[in-house]
């Protein structure tokens, strides 16, 4: 784990892109035009290759790689977790009308004609989890943040849940007037010491180098944040936690591992209720594991979870204490590849699911596709959006190098009209619910989202070297929505985590150690 940290900064530039399309119609079943996306800003430290205008290169520090992204309910705050166990908070900084921005910049970015997109700046960070060692099982528990979920705000403070492999922690972040340091006898220049420097040894933001700080300092009052761990929910999982979800009642949440889903109360850490248990009496009989779990957005007793067999089960907590028998089971029985192969079940494993809109529909992501389900139809999804279909001829090589087990999450707009999910080659895809085609729009996590560029040579595993460098036979990659051949796939860089702003058409995606933001 790197203790050096890094300085978060905001870099913004505008990509040449077509004019913004008209707003989508209110009817969800009518054809929805795909919006034109524009680059808004990037938060984080860019690799040298990206700073020079080229495709993002390999990671400089694995500890800085972002592993979780989540907006709060209002969209004013954005939380990101990384592999080093840190949670970084960003705060919305725009004034909403663009009046504070220079006119030249407004004209250059085409913001003068309408409301500016949200803009975010670094607020604070804290160390949520540390690396631990489980003596009972002789197992190292990493500090990587697996999930971040916001809780209801009881007051002006921010509350969130952060989870690593075995422990969930409830954090309270408060904004307060913190002591700062000031030059004595100077011209009023102040040096603000961020909270991360006081609480951890891994600062990401500072105003000056330590060697440049004055020796004689006096305390004054300034803005700042403080983070305090209020609850620790642990010792309830024997396997790694992969999902946490807060309930709409504001009092409970669930944590899920491969075999169990536990229900917690936010005020009680000494006990939890096991509501789903799929562990067989003999582990050799195990044929299915839980892969994702999510509470319904408005019904506090409804929970959905996905499995490694591609099933989505809907359970009602009011029916019984142990929800082993689902109320409804959703399975795609019509679109399964025939004949079935060894890889069929692997690629159909659900890696993420989300309720969308008013909770009458669900989107699920597996390795190949993004699927839209109507909760009234159990036999097949309403629509299947192709994401990695061009990789199907290479499944054996992907399995050999473990790429086939990569997990990609998904997100949806507030009205449920648009969905987004990640892919390889530093790209992600945006789909429209009512579009005539299901190919969607492929965007790159860069300052020019519509740029299609060849992949530079990189060191790749032997079995996938030709494939990863784009030496493919014609026809393997298929066609994009604009009838052009799909760009060669680079397995080294991928977009796995995305979040959609809760009120606006605004997407943030995590590419390695940076956050890229786009608006319509």
């Amino acid at each position: 784990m790197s203790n050096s940290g890094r300085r978060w900064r905001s870099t913004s530039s505008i990509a040449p892109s077509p004019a913004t399309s008209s707003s989508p119609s209110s009817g969800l079943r009518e054809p929805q035009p795909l919006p034109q996306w524009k680059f808004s800003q990037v938060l984080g430290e860019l690799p040298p290759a990206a700073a020079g205008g080229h495709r993002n290169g390999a990671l400089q520090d694995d500890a800085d790689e972002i592993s979780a992204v989540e907006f709060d309910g209002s969209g004013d705050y954005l939380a990101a977790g990384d592999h080093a166990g840190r949670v970084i908070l960003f705060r919305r900084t725009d004034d909403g009308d663009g009046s504070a921005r220079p006119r030249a910049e407004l004209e250059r970015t085409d913001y003068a004609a309408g409301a500016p997109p949200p803009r975010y700046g670094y607020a604070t960070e804290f160390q949520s989890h540390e690396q631990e060692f489980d003596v009972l099982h002789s197992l190292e528990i990493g500090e990587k943040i697996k999930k971040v979920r916001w809780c209801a705000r009881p007051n002006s403070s921010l509350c969130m849940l952060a989870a690593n492999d075995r422990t969930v922690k409830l954090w309270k972040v408060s904004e307060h007037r913190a002591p700062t340091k000031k030059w004595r006898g100077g011209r009023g220049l102040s040096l603000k010491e961020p909270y991360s420097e006081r609480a951890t040894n891994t600062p990401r933001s500072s105003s000056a180098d330590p060697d440049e700080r004055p020796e004689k300092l006096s305390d004054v009052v300034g803005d700042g944040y403080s983070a305090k761990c209020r609850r620790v929910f642990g010792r309830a999982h024997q396997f790694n936690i992969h999902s946490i979800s807060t309930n709409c009642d504001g009092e409970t949440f669930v944590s899920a591992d491969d075999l169990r889903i536990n229900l917690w109360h936010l005020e009680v850490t000494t006990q939890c209720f096991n509501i789903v248990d799929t562990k067989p009496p003999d582990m050799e009989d195990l044929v299915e594991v839980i892969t994702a779990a999510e509470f319904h957005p408005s019904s506090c007793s409804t929970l959905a979870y996905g499995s490694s067999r591609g099933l989505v089960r809907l359970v009602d907590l009011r029916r019984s204490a142990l929800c082993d028998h689902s109320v409804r089971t959703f399975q795609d029985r019509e679109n399964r590849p025939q004949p079935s192969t060894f890889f069929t079940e692997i690629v159909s494993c659900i890696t993420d699911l989300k309720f969308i809109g008013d909770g009458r529909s669900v989107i699920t992501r597996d390795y190949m596709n993004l699927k839209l389900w109507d909760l009234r139809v159990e036999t097949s999804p309403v629509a299947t959006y192709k994401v990695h279909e061009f990789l199907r001829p290479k499944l054996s090589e992907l399995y050999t190098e473990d790429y086939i087990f990569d997990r990609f999450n998904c997100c949806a707009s507030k009205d449920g009209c648009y969905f987004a999910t990640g892919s390889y080659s530093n790209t992600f895809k945006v789909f429209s619910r009512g579009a005539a085609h299901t190919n969607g729009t492929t965007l790159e996590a860069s300052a020019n989202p519509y740029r299609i560029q060849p992949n530079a040579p990189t060191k790749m595993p032997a079995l996938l070297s030709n494939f990863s460098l784009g030496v493919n036979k014609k026809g393997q990659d298929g066609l994009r929505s604009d009838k052009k051949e799909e760009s060669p796939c680079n397995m080294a860089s991928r977009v796995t985590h995305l979040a959609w702003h809760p009120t606006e058409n605004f997407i943030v995606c995590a590419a390695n150690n940076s956050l890229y933001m786009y608006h319509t």
Side-chain angles (χ1 to χ4, degrees), residues 1 3-8 82 85-89 122-128 130 171 173-174 176 178-179 192-207 213 223-227:
M1 169 180 168
N3 291 326
S4 60
R6 61 191 174 90
R7 299 180 182 180
W8 281 86
D82 65 10
R86 296 170 292 212
V87 175
I88 309 97
L89 295 185
Y122 172 85
T124 187
E125 71 177 89
F126 55 89
Q127 188 73 32
S128 176
E130 300 281 356
W171 288 89
V173 182
S174 304
H176 64 98
K192 179 180 176 182
E193 181 184 15
Y195 172 77
S196 58
E197 294 186 12
R198 301 191 302 273
T200 69
N201 294 324
T202 58
R204 287 180 185 253
S205 177
S206 58
S207 301
R213 296 179 183 178
D223 294 331
Y225 292 85
S226 63

Side-chain angles (χ1 to χ4, degrees), residues 255-310:
S255 59
D257 62 23
D258 290 343
L259 298 180
R260 292 185 174 92
I261 300 179
N262 295 329
L263 177 67
W264 300 83
H265 194 282
L266 288 172
E267 299 295 332
V268 181
T269 62
T270 56
Q271 64 178 355
C272 64
F273 298 95
N274 178 222
I275 57 177
V276 176
D277 188 352
T278 62
K279 184 178 180 179
D282 187 352
M283 287 296 289
E284 294 183 358
D285 299 331
L286 182 65
V287 296
E288 182 181 21
V289 296
I290 301 170
T291 56
E294 188 80 12
F295 262 123
H296 192 278
S298 58
S299 175
C300 60
S301 62
T302 304
L303 175 74
Y305 67 92
S307 75
S308 58
R309 295 174 56 192

Side-chain angles (χ1 to χ4, degrees), residues 84-115:
R86 296 170 292 212
V87 175
I88 309 97
L89 295 185
F90 301 94
R91 182 176 183 176
R92 187 166 179 172
T93 58
D94 61 287
D95 53 9
D97 58 2
S99 59
R101 309 183 67 183
R103 180 175 179 179
E105 183 178 357
L106 292 174
E107 293 176 350
R108 183 174 65 253
T109 59
D110 294 332
Y111 291 162

Side-chain angles (χ1 to χ4, degrees), residues 172-183:
K172 179 181 179 181
V173 182
S174 304
E175 187 175 7
H176 64 98
R177 306 293 290 182
T180 61
K181 299 179 180 180
K182 182 178 178 182
W183 295 80

Side-chain angles (χ1 to χ4, degrees), residues 286-362:
L286 182 65
V287 296
E288 182 181 21
V289 296
I290 301 170
T291 56
E294 188 80 12
F295 262 123
H296 192 278
S298 58
S299 175
C300 60
S301 62
T302 304
L303 175 74
Y305 67 92
S307 75
S308 58
R309 295 174 56 192
L311 306 178
V312 178
R313 291 185 170 89
L314 201 66
V315 299
D316 192 338
L317 305 184
R318 298 170 297 182
R319 296 193 64 177
S320 63
L322 190 61
C323 303
D324 286 344
H325 301 285
S326 58
V327 177
R328 285 191 171 182
T329 301
F330 301 86
Q331 182 179 12
D332 190 358
R333 299 180 177 91
E334 299 179 359
N335 300 322
R336 294 180 67 87
Q338 296 296 334
S340 180
T341 65
F342 172 74
F343 307 106
T344 302
E345 185 171 323
I346 297 178
V347 299
S348 63
C349 171
I350 293 177
T351 59
D352 192 24
L353 64 87
K354 293 287 192 305
F355 285 97
I356 62 173
D358 55 2
R360 296 181 181 180
S361 303
V362 175

Side-chain angles (χ1 to χ4, degrees), residues 330-448:
F330 301 86
Q331 182 179 12
D332 190 358
R333 299 180 177 91
E334 299 179 359
N335 300 322
R336 294 180 67 87
Q338 296 296 334
S340 180
T341 65
F342 172 74
F343 307 106
T344 302
E345 185 171 323
I346 297 178
V347 299
S348 63
C349 171
I350 293 177
T351 59
D352 192 24
L353 64 87
K354 293 287 192 305
F355 285 97
I356 62 173
D358 55 2
R360 296 181 181 180
S361 303
V362 175
I363 55 172
T364 61
R365 173 66 202 271
D366 55 43
Y367 188 78
M368 286 293 177
N369 306 308
L370 181 73
K371 297 180 180 180
L372 172 65
W373 299 84
D374 189 322
L375 295 186
R376 297 168 294 184
V377 181
E378 302 180 20
T379 55
S380 63
V382 176
T384 300
Y385 304 95
K386 306 297 183 182
V387 182
H388 286 160
E389 194 63 31
F390 63 92
L391 293 177
R392 195 172 293 277
K394 295 290 182 178
L395 291 181
S396 60
E397 297 166 66
L398 294 170
Y399 176 79
T400 302
E401 299 299 332
D402 288 341
Y403 289 114
I404 200 172
F405 300 104
D406 288 341
R407 296 174 62 94
F408 297 89
N409 76 340
C410 56
C411 61
S413 59
K414 178 68 174 179
D415 56 6
C417 292
Y418 303 104
F419 325 115
T421 187
S423 182
Y424 292 107
S425 299
N426 241 29
T427 62
F428 63 99
K429 291 195 172 186
V430 181
F431 304 94
S432 172
R433 181 170 187 168
H437 58 83
T438 58
N439 293 329
T441 301
T442 301
L443 305 174
E444 184 185 24
S446 67
N448 188 346

Side-chain angles (χ1 to χ4, degrees), residues 455-470:
N455 292 322
T458 55
K459 184 178 180 181
M460 300 296 296
L463 290 178
L464 280 174
S465 58
N466 292 338
F467 174 61
S468 302
L469 297 180

